[in-house]
Amino acid sequence: MTDAQETAAASSLRTTGGAPPDDGGSTAPGAPTPLLEPREGIPPVIADEAGLAEVVAAFAAGTGPVAVDAERASGYRYGQRAYLVQLRREGAGTALIDPVACPDLSALGAALRDTEWVLHAATQDLPCLREIGMVPTRLFDTELAGRLAGFPRVGLGAMVEGVLGYVLEKGHSAVDWSTRPLPEPWLRYAALDVELLVDLRDALEKELDRQGKLEWAHQEFAAIAAAPPAEPRKDPWRRTSGMHKVRRRRQLAVVRELWEARDRIAQRRDVSPGKVLSDAAIVEAALALPANVHALAALSGFGHRMGRRQLEQWQAAVDRAKALPEAQLPQQGQAVAGPPPPRAWADKDPAAAARLSAARTAVSALAEELSMPQENLITPDTVRRVCWEPPQGVTADSVAEALVSHGARPWQVELVTPVLVTALSAQAA
């Protein structure tokens, strides 16, 4: 049993039906306990201002960290808004909040501003929480903690089972959370997602401390909490699946026109863009450049189930692209900031390619020694940038300065600088 599991075993947890386990903790390895009911039962969904005010007061009066989770309707609705918010805190119990009925949770966010928030894969939920007024100043990310601690599987279910010895039912993770009313089994699943999150946090904190990695984790968590909202993606239409088949600029223009038309329709109807028109259909039309509605209807993805009016709107998008003057056609490939793709380095700059190979080998060996994924030790993009344009004089100070300029945290700079100096110096010699 790991220290993390021993921490869990010392906790007062609950199992099936809400009764405490006989031994006061997790079960023996190999015999995980199914967690079937929240310890206080399924709470009612808060869907009015009066209920929200009670939750705000209860959670403000609670103690310790607060577990936070959000459910979205990816694949069903347009965008990534939250359709259910779950919280749990000592002294307050569990709350389920409907952010459609209560779209402004800024009062709750303010009440918890100085509290540590515990999330699993925080960067996935923070954007939708920010939209409804919930922004943490301190957080603990249990998924990232698991990566830093060297756990091979870091999904919430795998972490709860491997660290605490309990099995979470995960059958409703991909359902349409915009459904109203939400079925009871879904609400039970949602409540259980925050049931043990603080217990998991406590166990992982002890494990990270044992490994000497707790300060590293704190720096990572602080960076996530301080990060500004992501900038809108430039030319998002270029991420259409199957774009590698589209090589001519006129065809690229068709992809762009169809993608933008689909996005407008999806936003207006509040449905996932893929439910309006598939990426495969967009690429098919771009490659075929159909001359009219009849030709379009013969293409895969524009079959007999599509009405004449729909076909006409897609053909209009194709025609707009075909009518564009040459100067307004999109360029092949997207302007890339920073170094070129590594596969091109050998031709463009063989010395840089040699530096990158040496640096990758050194960083990979260090990550293996530290029992963590290489990308968590230092991002591959940072390594590429330093290798493509290394400091004029390769010293510990100059390499450290370069790493900091690319956003590396102090713990990363301390660990990675020596191996990069060695790799870069060897190639320079």
Side-chain angles (χ1 to χ4, degrees):
M1 182 180 289
T2 67
D3 281 2
Q5 288 172 317
E6 289 171 358
T7 300
S11 303
S12 178
L13 305 181
R14 303 276 173 165
T15 59
T16 56
D22 293 338
D23 62 357
S26 63
T27 57
T33 302
L35 194 68
L36 302 179
E37 288 289 338
R39 63 194 81 176
E40 297 98 8
I42 303 172
V45 177
I46 303 302
D48 58 52
E49 292 303 317
L52 179 59
E54 292 180 5
V55 167
V56 171
F59 276 78
T63 59
V66 57
V68 182
D69 191 21
E71 305 295 346
R72 299 178 298 279
S74 303
Y76 298 94
R77 295 291 183 174
Y78 184 86
Q80 294 295 315
R81 69 172 296 182
Y83 283 94
L84 187 70
V85 175
Q86 309 101 279
L87 305 98
R88 182 172 182 82
R89 192 180 191 192
E90 185 70 29
T94 297
L96 303 178
I97 303 173
D98 180 356
V100 177
C102 301
D104 182 6
L105 300 188
S106 56
L108 180 58
L112 298 171
R113 191 173 309 281
D114 296 326
T115 301
E116 180 188 82
W117 295 24
V118 184
L119 302 102
H120 192 81
T123 54
Q124 294 182 21
D125 287 340
L126 288 178
C128 70
L129 290 170
R130 183 179 286 111
E131 288 181 358
I132 53 179
M134 295 187 66
V135 183
T137 56
R138 294 190 297 129
L139 62 84
F140 190 106
D141 186 333
T142 50
E143 183 197 53
L144 181 52
R147 292 181 183 278
L148 295 175
F151 285 86
R153 298 166 59 224
V154 293
L156 181 59
M159 293 292 290
V160 167
E161 181 174 344
V163 177
L164 302 179
Y166 292 89
V167 177
L168 290 177
E169 194 274 310
K170 300 297 290 182
H172 303 300
S173 59
V175 299
D176 181 4
W177 287 95
S178 68
T179 301
R180 293 296 184 272
L182 287 165
E184 182 177 297
W186 299 11
L187 296 175
R188 180 182 296 106
Y189 158 89
L192 288 174
D193 260 6
V194 292
E195 180 81 5
L196 298 180
L197 208 49
V198 173
D199 297 285
L200 179 61
R201 172 238 180 269
D202 293 343
L204 289 172
E205 181 180 59
K206 183 173 182 181
E207 182 67 15
L208 287 167
D209 189 39
R210 184 188 69 81
Q211 295 184 22
K213 299 176 179 177
L214 186 56
E215 175 55 28
W216 306 353
H218 286 161
Q219 291 181 29
E220 292 299 297
F221 302 156
I224 294 173
E231 293 289 332
R233 190 181 298 277
K234 184 180 180 182
D235 292 346
W237 58 271
R238 290 185 182 271
R239 293 176 62 83
T240 302
S241 180
M243 277 288 290
H244 62 282
K245 302 176 186 176
V246 182
R247 304 190 181 279
R248 291 159 46 195
R249 293 178 64 197
R250 185 70 60 184
Q251 295 172 330
L252 290 173
V254 172
V255 173
R256 181 176 64 186
E257 290 292 335
L258 284 171
W259 190 98
E260 291 178 348
R262 178 184 72 173
D263 195 65
R264 289 191 296 269
I265 294 168
Q267 187 171 13
R268 184 176 70 246
R269 290 169 51 188
D270 189 20
V271 296
S272 170
K275 290 186 174 297
V276 176
L277 187 68
S278 71
D279 280 9
I282 290 177
V283 170
E284 187 81 8
L287 296 175
L289 295 175
N292 50 47
V293 168
H294 180 73
L296 180 69
L299 299 177
S300 176
F302 298 90
H304 64 279
R305 290 184 298 175
M306 190 172 288
R308 175 80 183 189
R309 186 174 177 181
Q310 289 178 294
L311 288 169
E312 288 174 347
Q313 72 183 359
W314 301 130
Q315 184 62 43
V318 173
D319 292 342
R320 286 195 299 273
K322 292 167 68 174
L324 286 174
E326 196 76 18
Q328 294 182 21
L329 296 178
Q331 295 296 323
Q332 292 178 330
Q334 192 172 10
V336 178
R343 63 179 178 274
W345 285 31
D347 293 330
K348 291 179 178 291
D349 189 338
R355 288 193 297 268
L356 180 62
S357 178
R360 281 175 162 174
T361 299
V363 170
S364 178
L366 179 58
E368 186 173 349
E369 180 184 333
L370 296 171
S371 299
M372 72 171 64
Q374 184 175 331
E375 63 271 19
N376 292 115
L377 173 59
I378 191 74
T379 67
D381 181 67
T382 296
V383 175
R384 286 194 294 268
R385 288 174 183 272
V386 172
C387 290
W388 184 252
E389 293 183 353
Q392 288 294 330
V394 177
T395 65
D397 287 343
S398 65
V399 171
E401 184 178 346
L403 290 173
V404 171
S405 72
H406 295 306
R409 264 71 70 190
W411 74 273
Q412 295 174 314
V413 173
E414 180 182 353
L415 290 169
V416 174
T417 293
V419 299
L420 285 187
V421 168
T422 300
L424 297 176
S425 299
Q427 294 306 310

